[in-house]
Short mmCIF file of all heavy atoms in Angstrom, two decimals:
data_model
loop_
_atom_site.label_atom_id
_atom_site.label_comp_id
_atom_site.label_asym_id
_atom_site.label_seq_id
_atom_site.Cartn_x
_atom_site.Cartn_y
_atom_site.Cartn_z
N ARG B 41 -39.82 29.14 -16.97
CA ARG B 41 -40.14 28.19 -18.05
C ARG B 41 -41.24 27.26 -17.57
O ARG B 41 -41.45 27.12 -16.36
CB ARG B 41 -38.89 27.42 -18.50
CG ARG B 41 -38.25 26.52 -17.47
CD ARG B 41 -36.79 26.21 -17.81
NE ARG B 41 -35.93 27.36 -17.53
CZ ARG B 41 -35.30 27.57 -16.36
NH1 ARG B 41 -35.39 26.69 -15.39
NH2 ARG B 41 -34.56 28.64 -16.16
N THR B 42 -41.93 26.68 -18.53
CA THR B 42 -43.03 25.78 -18.16
C THR B 42 -42.73 24.37 -18.68
O THR B 42 -41.94 24.20 -19.62
CB THR B 42 -44.37 26.27 -18.74
OG1 THR B 42 -44.19 26.53 -20.12
CG2 THR B 42 -44.83 27.55 -18.06
N ALA B 43 -43.36 23.40 -18.06
CA ALA B 43 -43.13 22.00 -18.42
C ALA B 43 -43.68 21.72 -19.81
O ALA B 43 -44.66 22.34 -20.24
CB ALA B 43 -43.82 21.10 -17.40
N PRO B 44 -43.05 20.79 -20.54
CA PRO B 44 -43.61 20.40 -21.85
C PRO B 44 -45.02 19.86 -21.68
O PRO B 44 -45.35 19.27 -20.65
CB PRO B 44 -42.64 19.30 -22.34
CG PRO B 44 -41.84 18.89 -21.15
CD PRO B 44 -41.85 20.03 -20.19
N GLU B 45 -45.86 20.08 -22.69
CA GLU B 45 -47.23 19.51 -22.67
C GLU B 45 -47.12 18.00 -22.52
O GLU B 45 -46.21 17.38 -23.06
CB GLU B 45 -47.95 19.82 -23.98
CG GLU B 45 -48.14 21.31 -24.27
CD GLU B 45 -49.51 21.82 -23.82
OE1 GLU B 45 -50.28 21.03 -23.23
OE2 GLU B 45 -49.76 23.03 -24.01
N GLY B 46 -48.07 17.40 -21.81
CA GLY B 46 -48.04 15.95 -21.63
C GLY B 46 -49.29 15.53 -20.93
O GLY B 46 -50.11 16.37 -20.55
N PRO B 47 -49.45 14.21 -20.75
CA PRO B 47 -50.66 13.73 -20.08
C PRO B 47 -50.75 14.26 -18.65
O PRO B 47 -49.73 14.33 -17.96
CB PRO B 47 -50.51 12.20 -20.11
CG PRO B 47 -49.09 11.92 -20.45
CD PRO B 47 -48.52 13.13 -21.12
N VAL B 48 -51.94 14.63 -18.26
CA VAL B 48 -52.17 15.14 -16.91
C VAL B 48 -52.81 14.04 -16.07
O VAL B 48 -53.81 13.45 -16.50
CB VAL B 48 -53.11 16.37 -16.97
CG1 VAL B 48 -53.56 16.78 -15.57
CG2 VAL B 48 -52.43 17.53 -17.68
N PRO B 49 -52.26 13.73 -14.90
CA PRO B 49 -52.86 12.68 -14.06
C PRO B 49 -54.32 13.01 -13.75
O PRO B 49 -54.64 14.14 -13.39
CB PRO B 49 -52.03 12.70 -12.78
CG PRO B 49 -50.74 13.36 -13.15
CD PRO B 49 -51.06 14.32 -14.25
N ALA B 50 -55.19 12.01 -13.92
CA ALA B 50 -56.62 12.21 -13.65
C ALA B 50 -56.94 11.88 -12.20
O ALA B 50 -57.97 12.28 -11.67
CB ALA B 50 -57.45 11.32 -14.58
N GLU B 51 -56.04 11.13 -11.55
CA GLU B 51 -56.30 10.69 -10.17
C GLU B 51 -55.22 11.23 -9.23
O GLU B 51 -54.18 11.67 -9.68
CB GLU B 51 -56.28 9.16 -10.11
CG GLU B 51 -57.28 8.47 -11.01
CD GLU B 51 -58.73 8.76 -10.63
OE1 GLU B 51 -58.98 9.00 -9.43
OE2 GLU B 51 -59.60 8.77 -11.53
N GLY B 52 -55.52 11.13 -7.97
CA GLY B 52 -54.56 11.56 -6.95
C GLY B 52 -55.11 12.77 -6.22
O GLY B 52 -55.81 13.58 -6.80
N PRO B 53 -54.76 12.89 -4.93
CA PRO B 53 -55.34 13.95 -4.09
C PRO B 53 -54.90 15.36 -4.48
O PRO B 53 -55.49 16.33 -4.02
CB PRO B 53 -54.86 13.60 -2.68
CG PRO B 53 -53.69 12.71 -2.88
CD PRO B 53 -53.91 11.98 -4.16
#
Side-chain angles (χ1 to χ4, degrees):
Chain B
R41 64 201 75 92
T42 50
E45 298 265 2
V48 170
E51 302 295 331

